[in-house]
Structures are given as C-alpha cells and as structure tokens.
Amino acid sequence: MKKLLLSVAFLLALSISFTSCRDEKKADSAEEAVENAVDATEEAMEDAGDAVEDAAEEAGEAVDNAVDAAGDAVNDAADAVEGAANDAVDAAGEAVDNAADAVNDAANKAADKVDEKAKELKGGH
C-alpha cells in the first residue's frame, strides 16, 4: 500500500514538473498523462482491494473448513468412545450372565450330589 501511494505521489510530482506555461499543447498532453496516471493508479488500487477481499474470503472459508473438520473429528471420536463404552457394557453384562449361569450350574450340581448322598445314606440303613 505504501509503494502504491508513493508511486502515485511520484507520478504526480513528475507530471507537474514537466508541465509548462509556455506550451499549451504540451500542457494538455501532460494533463492527459496525469489523468491517465491517476486513472491507472485508481484501477490498480481497486484491483489490490479486490485481491485483499478475495484473500480474506478464502482465509475465512479455510478457517470454516478447518473448524468443520475439527468438529467432525470430535464427533467421530465421541461416537467411537460411545461405541466402545457400549461394547464394554455389553461384554460386562455377558460376563455377569455367564458367571451367574456358572454359579447356578455349580449350585445345581452340588444340590444333586447332596441329594445322591442323602439317598445313599437312606438306602443303606
């Protein structure tokens, strides 16, 4: 931006230094040159402003995309943790059920053996 302003000031100073009161034809051409320089400078400034706006929009979009990607990653991680927790709960439930079944089976077997021993003792007397 500083270079642009300095260039405009330089062009204005240069064009003013070439103008003369004696020759009106040259003055008109110098005036046209100054106007052309001003117009070119204005166009360059507008183009630079547009480029800055475009860059800012692209940077904003890049930030938005990064935020969205981070949010998706967090959601995916949360889903994975939730799935793992559910799997762990299911596995623990199955382990408890299996342990309960084993205890019931062991209790039934023990009861059956007690019954057998009781029958043997009754039958033997």
Side-chain angles (χ1 to χ4, degrees):
M1 204 65 170
K2 286 182 180 180
K3 289 181 181 181
L4 185 60
L5 292 176
L6 291 175
S7 297
V8 170
F10 177 72
L11 287 174
L12 289 175
L14 186 63
S15 64
I16 290 173
S17 66
F18 285 119
T19 59
S20 172
C21 295
R22 292 184 207 153
D23 190 7
E24 288 185 23
K25 190 174 187 183
K26 287 184 181 180
D28 289 340
S29 66
E31 186 177 316
E32 286 179 25
V34 169
E35 287 177 9
N36 290 340
V38 169
D39 290 341
T41 303
E42 287 176 0
E43 288 178 21
M45 289 177 71
E46 288 175 6
D47 291 344
D50 291 343
V52 168
E53 287 177 10
D54 291 344
E57 286 177 14
E58 289 178 11
E61 288 175 9
V63 168
D64 289 342
N65 291 340
V67 167
D68 290 343
D72 290 344
V74 168
N75 289 337
D76 291 346
D79 290 344
V81 168
E82 182 180 353
N86 288 338
D87 291 345
V89 167
D90 291 344
E94 286 179 28
V96 168
D97 290 343
N98 290 341
D101 290 344
V103 168
N104 283 338
D105 288 345
N108 288 338
K109 286 181 183 179
D112 289 345
K113 289 197 179 206
V114 168
D115 285 342
E116 285 178 19
K117 286 293 182 180
K119 284 181 185 178
E120 282 180 19
L121 292 175
K122 282 185 183 178
H125 281 281

